[in-house]
Amino acid sequence: MKNLQPNEFAPYYENYIKLVPEQDIIKGLIKQKEEMLHFFKSIPVFNMNLNIQKGSGL
């Protein structure tokens, strides 16, 4: 996202935009989706149904 012009976003977002390493946002979003799917698939099935309630000590 280094090709953005300063008039294309609010100054508030400049620091966040600098943190995005991808030049092509679509490829970056696809890569992020694949990484998230890999992460969720790595969670054991028995943990998926874990119900952590307030005050349970977990």
Side-chain angles (χ1 to χ4, degrees):
M1 295 191 35
K2 307 297 185 221
N3 297 333
L4 289 176
Q5 301 300 315
N7 65 343
E8 295 180 303
F9 57 89
Y12 172 83
Y13 296 106
E14 184 174 2
N15 289 329
Y16 298 107
I17 291 170
K18 288 179 183 178
L19 295 173
V20 178
E22 289 84 5
Q23 294 292 319
D24 183 339
I25 190 65
I26 301 299
K27 287 181 183 178
L29 290 170
I30 291 169
K31 179 182 172 190
Q32 187 178 47
K33 176 186 134 187
E34 292 168 356
E35 290 172 354
M36 289 300 298
L37 287 174
H38 176 73
F39 169 75
F40 287 129
K41 287 178 181 178
S42 72
I43 299 173
V45 175
F46 66 88
N47 282 345
M48 289 184 187
N49 295 321
L50 185 62
N51 183 9
I52 300 175
Q53 295 179 356
K54 186 177 181 179
S56 67
L58 295 177

